[in-house]
Amino acid sequence: MFYKNLVVLTILLSTFWLNAKEVDRTTGKNEKLITRSVVTLMERHHFSKSLISDPKKQYSEKLYDKFLETLDPNRIYFMASDYGDFSPYRKILTEKLFDGETDFPFSLFERFLERVKERVEVCKELVKLKHDFTVKESLLIDRSKEPWAKNKQELDEIWRKRIKNQLLVRSLSKKKKKTKVKAKKTDEEDVISRIEGHFKRWEEFDKYAILEIYLTSFSHLFDPHSTYMNWRTLEDFTIDMSLELTGIGATLREDDGYTKIVSLVHGGPAEKGGELKPNDLISYVSQGDAEPVDVTNMPLHKVVRLIRGEIGTEVRLTVIKSRGAIPHVISIFREKIKLEDSAAWGEVKTIKLPNNKVKKLAYIYLPSFYADWEGLRNNDPNAKSTTRDVKKLIEKMQKEDNIEGLVLDLRGNGGGSLEESISLTGLFIPKGPVVQVRYPGRKATIRKDSDKGFAFDLPLVVMIDHNSASASEIFAGAIKDYSRGIIIGDKRTHGKGTVQQVLRLENMEQLKKMKPGAGALKFTMAKFYRISGHSTQIKGVVPDIIMDSFFDHMKMGEHLLPNALEWDEIDKLSYEVTFASTSKYTARVKANSAKRLEKNAEWQKLKKQIALFAERKSMKNLSLNKDARIKLRAEDKKWSKVTTAVVFRDRSKPKNKTVVDKDKNKDEDEEEELEIPDFMNIEAFFILADLIHYIKTDKAAK
């Protein structure tokens, strides 16, 4: 043990204060207090009640590996020797956590800076090489599961291919008739500038940023939604959670050095513009015509601050659809995102059936579960609420068009208010439980429909996809458990069945006076369960009728997140399936749907495209051959158009759609956007028509 501690001490003394003069990275009493507080809170209050002090030291080893992977996720900076030099820590990190000691993350971070700086010097030499783009050679896209490089020579070879790839991207970019990237620098200068920029940004990390990375690595071992936020991140989080958001209306996350678009706020300027899409990767941000800022490897909170700005001002994002793709610039004008922009909307659709009969059916798109709590508390009759708005829409369509059934579209609905999810369910069931919420060590709390009435017995079809999450899953799960409607969609919903709480650490006695602030801990403190007893975690809600989807082959869903809490089940509740039960019709409706889709040539063509897309997404290597890359670029362009037209189609209210100038910021050789039918939407109405037919036939027989 003495020898191990001696090695640790040697590492500390040799690497600790390399850049202390420029940036404060000295760890002290405050960091110790914060660390001990976070560890204690996670141990006592996290849902999983994980025991950190495990006798086999597995938790300590996992934390060691997690922190290295957080700093270097693609394994392009650290070498096997670095992993070995710090390995004495692998067995003792648990003990150090309870003591509040943070010498490991701070010393490892300094070693990381050394390695990044070394890469800058190596890259300056690599760009001078004569790179042959005619040879058959490829770059491994994801190295996260690869062994650490054995030595600098092996790492140099990895970087040679990375530099070659960047130069190839620059070369292909300039071949476009209207280049989207200003060629103010040579290819070599631009690549070096980017690498140097990475180093400078890492060099700016102070003790608050390092502690956040380390404690978030720690909390992520419990589950992916538990994080520590330092005082700066907490400030940004507070702004983002306010009702009046000023920005572009997008949810972002870090993804191997890039800032990735996770989702777009319905009614926000990014969605209205129609160009920015989920899964796009941001590489540069500029304010209007100002010089673009390279945001690759920039901390997420800094990227957010660059994108956020005053209402009416322009921000330009340079984005790529995938690594190695040609970048293009998207111009967005910041707006205040209003609640009414993301409200439910609906319309009546007249459906002509094969027997020439006509039915009037309702369609309602619900982008989120929202509520104007202040207006509701003040009994404002115009206060916006999901349940109130949906009820008004249905009543209006019943009165004016005598609708026979309803299609409720929850695709892309990431959730929101649990209360609204419960009350909306209450519109379609007479009474009974809707969801169970279980806290650690306690019996599940049952949340019931409390509206004391039954609003609608209309035949119901609910559409869902991989992006339907949280409150959407609670609603869809309840509708399915009560057999109140038929669910149609992707293989499953997102699968987020957990509840998080944000605890500001300044509320703790020992951290009250800490300046500039102790930050906050967001941790998972409960899980959702359906009334059937099944958790919505991981498995989500499986629809009655599944349609093939591009989403099935994208890296999306709770089940793909590291350390996600497992699926489980608790006791089933006692509840009555209503007289409007659809269970006895589901098999026949499903069979009819399969026959229709089998005969639909356009749908079968799209199914084949989805299968090809699955093959494309499984590609692990990126060609460095110019001709092959040009071909690949054309394929990427095609897939981008197809997935945009199918997966990320605009579902905003027709009259509120923003008219986009088709010629603005477009390449001369770029074609118009594809228009592909919304097959799921079309099929949902035929399914609803079948359901109505079987219900009426049953009633007539009785």
Side-chain angles (χ1 to χ4, degrees):
M1 188 55 143
F2 170 76
Y3 171 74
K4 290 182 178 179
N5 285 337
L6 181 62
V7 174
V8 171
L9 180 61
T10 303
I11 294 168
L12 269 172
L13 291 175
S14 63
T15 62
F16 191 67
W17 286 289
L18 275 178
N19 297 286
K21 290 182 180 179
E22 293 81 9
V23 179
D24 183 8
R25 286 196 282 270
T26 56
T27 178
K29 180 181 177 182
N30 285 353
E31 288 67 47
K32 189 170 186 175
L33 286 172
I34 291 172
T35 300
R36 289 174 64 179
S37 299
V38 168
V39 171
T40 301
L41 288 168
M42 289 294 288
E43 272 285 88
R44 292 179 180 175
H45 302 295
H46 190 273
F47 180 86
S48 66
K49 289 287 185 181
S50 295
L51 293 175
I52 302 173
S53 52
D54 58 294
K56 295 183 180 179
K57 307 291 183 184
Q58 291 179 348
Y59 201 96
S60 181
E61 292 170 1
K62 288 178 181 177
L63 177 57
Y64 179 86
D65 292 342
K66 180 68 176 177
F67 187 61
L68 264 75
E69 290 167 6
T70 302
L71 290 178
D72 189 8
N74 216 21
R75 301 195 173 192
I76 58 174
Y77 293 109
F78 284 132
M79 295 177 287
S81 58
D82 297 313
Y83 188 89
D85 286 348
F86 287 83
S87 61
Y89 277 111
R90 292 190 85 234
K91 300 289 186 181
I92 61 174
L93 287 184
T94 296
E95 302 161 27
K96 286 181 167 289
L97 278 170
F98 279 111
D99 292 336
E101 293 183 24
T102 54
D103 49 1
F104 164 66
F106 281 81
S107 57
L108 182 64
F109 186 81
E110 295 299 342
R111 174 68 67 89
F112 176 68
L113 281 183
E114 287 182 31
R115 294 295 178 240
V116 178
K117 191 172 184 179
E118 285 174 1
R119 288 299 103 200
V120 174
E121 299 307 313
V122 169
C123 289
K124 287 179 180 178
E125 298 302 318
L126 289 175
V127 295
K128 297 176 184 177
L129 297 177
K130 187 176 180 180
H131 296 278
D132 187 352
F133 297 108
T134 64
V135 297
K136 208 171 182 181
E137 192 173 41
S138 62
L139 171 71
L140 183 62
I141 299 171
D142 181 5
R143 297 196 71 261
S144 61
K145 304 301 179 186
E146 296 297 304
W148 298 99
K150 296 185 182 70
N151 48 49
K152 289 187 178 181
Q153 289 72 31
E154 189 175 318
L155 203 56
D156 288 350
E157 176 60 12
I158 292 169
W159 273 90
R160 181 189 68 80
K161 291 184 177 181
R162 290 178 64 86
I163 294 300
K164 184 177 181 179
N165 176 61
Q166 291 185 34
L167 291 171
L168 178 57
V169 170
R170 289 275 304 178
S171 173
L172 292 175
S173 173
K174 291 192 294 186
K175 291 295 181 183
K176 297 180 88 63
K177 294 177 182 178
K178 283 186 178 180
T179 180
K180 302 264 180 161
V181 180
K182 295 179 181 178
K184 293 184 177 180
K185 302 175 182 176
T186 66
D187 294 352
E188 293 77 10
E189 288 172 333
D190 182 70
V191 169
I192 292 300
S193 176
R194 285 171 63 87
I195 300 298
E196 287 179 333
H198 297 169
F199 172 68
K200 288 176 182 177
R201 280 187 287 279
W202 281 114
E203 203 174 26
E204 291 173 0
F205 272 52
D206 58 14
K207 59 184 179 181
Y208 307 112
I210 298 169
L211 189 66
E212 179 177 274
I213 295 173
Y214 185 56
L215 292 182
T216 293
S217 297
F218 158 73
S219 59
H220 275 183
L221 294 181
F222 285 75
D223 84 295
H225 303 292
S226 295
T227 59
Y228 165 70
M229 297 179 276
N230 67 34
W231 63 273
R232 283 188 298 250
T233 307
L234 176 60
E235 188 178 281
D236 290 333
F237 178 80
T238 303
I239 293 171
D240 287 341
M241 290 301 290
S242 64
L243 287 177
E244 293 184 349
L245 301 175
T246 303
I248 65 170
T251 303
L252 314 173
R253 73 172 172 85
E254 293 181 54
D255 188 323
D256 189 23
Y258 286 97
T259 296
K260 185 175 184 176
I261 305 296
V262 178
S263 61
L264 302 179
V265 177
H266 192 72
E271 190 200 48
K272 287 179 180 178
E275 291 188 86
L276 193 68
K277 302 295 179 184
N279 287 337
D280 283 356
L281 303 172
I282 302 174
S283 55
Y284 288 89
V285 177
S286 62
Q287 311 304 321
D289 293 327
E291 186 72 18
V293 176
D294 183 357
V295 297
T296 315
N297 281 335
M298 181 179 286
L300 187 60
H301 73 272
K302 289 191 175 184
V303 182
V304 170
R305 289 184 179 188
L306 283 174
I307 294 174
R308 185 187 293 133
E310 294 182 8
I311 296 173
T313 57
E314 181 189 28
V315 61
R316 294 188 179 186
L317 308 179
T318 302
V319 304
I320 56 176
K321 295 295 179 184
S322 61
R323 288 167 180 77
I326 304 303
H328 67 286
V329 178
I330 295 174
S331 172
I332 302 173
F333 284 86
R334 302 173 176 102
E335 298 176 14
K336 183 184 291 184
I337 301 167
K338 300 174 183 178
L339 195 59
E340 53 265 32
D341 289 335
S342 59
W345 68 272
E347 62 182 354
V348 175
K349 293 197 175 185
T350 302
I351 307 298
K352 188 175 182 180
L353 302 177
N355 59 7
N356 290 324
K357 287 187 178 181
V358 173
K359 288 188 180 296
K360 286 190 174 182
L361 306 175
Y363 169 82
I364 292 179
Y365 175 59
L366 186 58
S368 67
F369 286 87
Y370 55 89
D372 176 4
W373 295 114
E374 185 176 350
L376 293 172
R377 280 194 297 269
N378 295 331
N379 295 317
D380 181 353
N382 297 315
K384 305 293 290 182
S385 119
T386 301
T387 308
R388 182 181 286 190
D389 291 351
V390 169
K391 191 170 186 290
K392 285 180 180 178
L393 284 169
I394 296 174
E395 287 175 340
K396 184 174 185 292
M397 289 187 277
Q398 282 182 320
K399 182 179 179 180
E400 296 179 0
D401 296 280
N402 194 28
I403 56 171
E404 296 184 61
L406 168 66
V407 171
L408 185 60
D409 192 347
L410 295 182
R411 291 176 295 175
N413 185 320
S417 168
L418 172 63
E419 303 303 322
E420 288 298 323
S421 178
I422 294 170
S423 60
L424 185 67
T425 304
L427 294 183
F428 301 99
I429 63 171
K431 63 178 180 179
V434 174
V435 66
Q436 303 183 75
V437 185
R438 187 164 74 89
Y439 298 86
R442 289 158 55 182
K443 190 176 179 181
T445 301
I446 301 170
R447 299 298 307 278
K448 298 181 178 181
D449 162 35
S450 58
D451 62 6
K452 298 179 182 179
F454 183 40
F456 307 111
D457 61 356
L458 286 165
L460 177 67
V461 170
V462 178
M463 285 192 286
I464 56 175
D465 64 12
H466 276 284
N467 280 336
S468 303
S470 195
S472 292
E473 295 173 293
I474 290 169
F475 175 83
I479 294 299
K480 186 171 183 178
D481 289 335
Y482 276 102
S483 297
R484 179 58 188 84
I486 290 179
I487 314 294
I488 175 177
D490 296 353
K491 288 182 179 178
R492 59 180 161 192
T493 53
H494 187 83
K496 184 181 182 297
T498 57
V499 187
Q500 284 71 45
Q501 176 180 345
V502 176
L503 179 62
R504 300 178 77 103
L505 298 183
E506 65 191 28
N507 295 331
M508 301 181 72
E509 187 62 35
Q510 69 270 33
L511 303 177
K512 276 184 178 179
K513 297 181 181 179
M514 190 174 290
K515 301 295 181 183
L521 177 66
K522 178 163 72 79
F523 63 95
T524 298
M525 34 78 82
K527 283 178 78 173
F528 289 127
Y529 294 83
R530 288 161 52 177
I531 56 177
S532 61
H534 297 163
S535 171
T536 55
Q537 176 67 7
I538 296 292
K539 293 185 179 181
V541 177
V542 178
D544 301 301
I545 298 174
I546 297 173
M547 292 185 68
D548 291 287
S549 169
F550 284 104
F551 270 137
D552 294 333
H553 310 290
M554 295 180 178
K555 291 184 178 180
M556 307 178 78
E558 185 82 3
H559 65 291
L560 296 174
L561 299 178
N563 303 316
L565 294 184
E566 295 179 354
W567 178 90
D568 62 344
E569 56 185 325
I570 58 177
D571 292 340
K572 178 180 179 179
L573 297 179
S574 175
Y575 59 95
E576 294 181 11
V577 175
T578 69
F579 63 89
S581 171
T582 59
S583 58
K584 59 182 176 181
Y585 310 120
T586 303
R588 282 179 284 173
V589 169
K590 185 176 180 179
N592 291 348
S593 176
K595 289 177 183 177
R596 267 192 306 271
L597 292 174
E598 186 67 31
K599 295 177 182 177
N600 189 322
E602 288 299 308
W603 167 248
Q604 293 303 319
K605 181 181 176 181
L606 185 62
K607 275 187 67 174
K608 289 180 181 178
Q609 286 185 300
I610 292 171
L612 290 172
F613 178 75
E615 293 179 16
R616 174 69 178 85
K617 294 300 286 185
S618 65
M619 187 180 76
K620 296 181 179 179
N621 290 284
L622 192 61
S623 176
L624 297 176
N625 178 283
K626 190 171 184 178
D627 291 339
R629 197 61 167 273
I630 291 172
K631 183 180 178 182
L632 191 65
R633 181 182 66 176
E635 290 178 4
D636 280 343
K637 184 178 178 182
K638 180 193 74 172
W639 289 125
S640 175
K641 287 183 178 181
V642 173
T643 54
T644 295
V646 177
V647 177
F648 305 119
R649 67 175 73 246
D650 183 9
R651 297 191 185 95
S652 58
K653 193 173 182 179
K655 68 177 183 180
N656 288 339
K657 286 183 180 178
T658 301
V659 177
V660 180
D661 182 358
K662 294 289 184 183
D663 296 323
K664 187 179 180 181
N665 291 330
K666 299 288 183 184
D667 291 319
E668 289 178 5
D669 60 345
E670 188 169 343
E671 302 170 7
E672 293 295 323
E673 291 183 3
L674 291 178
E675 290 187 11
I676 298 177
D678 189 346
F679 289 104
M680 190 183 294
N681 188 301
I682 294 168
E683 185 59 23
F685 284 100
F686 282 114
I687 288 170
L688 180 58
D690 281 346
L691 181 60
I692 293 168
H693 169 72
Y694 290 131
I695 291 173
K696 283 186 173 181
T697 302
D698 262 12
K699 286 182 178 179
K702 290 176 182 177

